[in-house]
Amino acid sequence: MVEFEAFSPGVVKLFGEHAVVYGHPAVAVAIDRGVRVVCREGSGLRVRTVSTISGSVEWIGDKAVVESQFFAYIEAAYRLARERWGVSGINAEVVSELPPSIGAATSAATVGAFLKCAAGLAGAELSAEELAEMIYSVEKLVQGAASRMDGSVTAMGGVLLVRGSERVRLNVEIPELLVVLTPRRGTTRSLVAMVRELRERMPEVVDSVFATISSIVNRGVRCLESGDYRCVGELMTMNHWLLASLGLSNAQVDSLVRALSGAVYGAKMSGAGGGGVVVALPYTDSARAIAEGFGYEAVRARVWNGTRRGD
Ligand code: MEV
């Protein structure tokens, strides 16, 4: 029986989340931790998920769709694959190396890996641009609204400068990152709405925070290009406190960012906030021990640029 395997990376942001919603630039990184799907032809949809963090669940057919948004993503991706490539049935094993709903783009990565796997089974060509568009349409269907940033970064890989619909690949080397997984409260949607409401009440204040974040991104790109990681780290930490000033962080994440300051060049919340991923540059064993001392799982991550068979 033909079997296919595909991987789609998780995403962290070095700079610029939230400001990017208002047309400012951001720098996002595809990491080598993400979602892997192994798929075979089957009848209907059958999915087994294995989370390296939370264990394994088995699910067959349609029954869990309403109960779990995770399966809703897969179901919607499956419908799209059927429409697009005439796939008639898929047995898939979905292995997630990151927990869901922590701001690491795992839903985009799940949809991305599933669609790449389905395209592989169907023998269909799938460009990164098409994949990004398909991930966006699935996320929009399931969530009601979606970010194009995560879908395009998981589809394209690498380190990307994102501004509006523009995606510029930065040919830069980045040392290994420390990715800390802290508990998260709030959804991307509610946090983006909170910033919108704050901006409506005090536009000049919020816009000046975004303008500073924009300067951080521009300077950050220059520091990345010259390999000045100390500067990159300093700017990440500044970006963290600007996001915190908008109410996007929490006390635990702030304490962690402070505690990490002696062990890394810089650290920040990554993504929509309310807890979730904290990214630090560079990875060090002592930084990892600090994060674990707080009781958080922490992983080492590299930039994912590559392709494996079926990717
Ligand atoms: C979410 O990972 C990043 C945000 O900037 C939303 C977006 O860009 O779509 C908060």
Side-chain angles (χ1 to χ4, degrees):
M1 172 153 326
V2 184
E3 187 177 272
F4 231 83
E5 182 174 335
F7 173 81
S8 210
V11 178
V12 296
K13 281 96 199 184
L14 291 187
F15 315 111
E17 57 272 82
H18 284 285
V20 74
V21 173
Y22 298 90
H24 295 285
V27 174
V29 180
I31 57 173
D32 62 353
R33 307 269 173 172
V35 178
R36 195 163 52 78
V37 172
V38 179
C39 61
R40 274 178 241 107
E41 277 174 27
S43 106
L45 175 63
R46 186 187 159 97
V47 180
R48 176 164 181 266
T49 67
V50 182
S51 161
T52 51
I53 311 277
S54 63
S56 137
V57 209
E58 184 135 6
W59 173 72
I60 303 166
D62 299 324
K63 68 178 192 288
V65 171
V66 284
E67 289 158 27
S68 154
Q69 208 180 36
F70 175 75
F71 291 118
Y73 287 108
I74 295 178
E75 171 75 11
Y78 171 65
R79 283 179 201 281
L80 191 57
R82 251 190 2 202
E83 255 170 56
R84 187 73 61 106
W85 304 307
V87 171
S88 61
I90 295 184
N91 284 349
E93 182 174 277
V94 182
V95 181
S96 180
E97 300 160 348
L98 293 165
S101 309
I102 53 154
T106 45
S107 57
T110 300
V111 174
F114 184 90
L115 288 172
K116 284 199 266 189
C117 214
L121 278 184
E125 290 289 320
L126 179 61
S127 69
E129 291 70 25
E130 274 175 286
L131 178 60
E133 208 43 52
M134 290 175 85
I135 296 171
Y136 175 67
S137 72
V138 168
E139 289 208 292
K140 202 158 124 215
L141 191 76
V142 176
Q143 299 163 188
S147 150
R148 285 183 179 274
M149 174 158 69
D150 287 350
S152 58
V153 179
T154 195
M156 294 172 70
V159 182
L160 297 176
L161 176 64
V162 173
R163 185 189 336 234
S165 59
E166 231 182 298
R167 305 284 178 270
V168 178
R169 189 178 293 281
L170 300 177
N171 287 320
V172 295
E173 297 282 323
I174 300 185
E176 285 184 325
L177 299 165
L178 177 73
V179 174
V180 186
L181 314 172
T182 85
R184 181 175 179 206
R185 255 176 246 114
T187 60
T188 299
R189 206 170 175 178
S190 64
L191 292 154
V192 168
M194 186 195 86
V195 173
R196 174 161 303 122
E197 189 273 329
L198 187 64
R199 185 170 178 265
E200 271 160 20
R201 279 193 291 122
M202 39 183 91
E204 75 293 359
V205 176
V206 174
D207 282 340
S208 64
V209 172
F210 286 161
T212 308
I213 291 176
S214 200
S215 308
I216 285 176
V217 179
N218 294 332
R219 173 62 73 113
V221 169
R222 294 207 296 279
C223 295
L224 280 168
E225 284 172 343
S226 62
D228 185 349
Y229 304 122
R230 178 177 298 278
C231 161
V232 173
E234 283 170 345
L235 292 166
M236 286 168 65
T237 305
M238 283 186 219
N239 195 160
H240 174 79
W241 294 112
L242 288 165
L243 291 166
S245 77
L246 300 176
L248 292 163
S249 184
N250 64 29
Q252 292 76 15
V253 167
D254 291 348
S255 309
L256 177 65
V257 167
R258 269 195 205 93
L260 286 170
S261 67
V264 292
Y265 291 142
K268 68 182 274 291
M269 56 164 270
S270 168
V277 170
V278 171
V279 60
L281 175 92
Y283 173 90
T284 64
D285 286 337
S286 56
R288 183 184 190 147
I290 290 168
E292 288 174 348
F294 275 77
Y296 303 135
E297 178 128 12
V299 296
R300 187 194 276 250
R302 289 201 181 95
V303 177
W304 183 84
N305 264 316
T307 51
R308 307 182 211 169
R309 195 178 77 82
D311 285 353

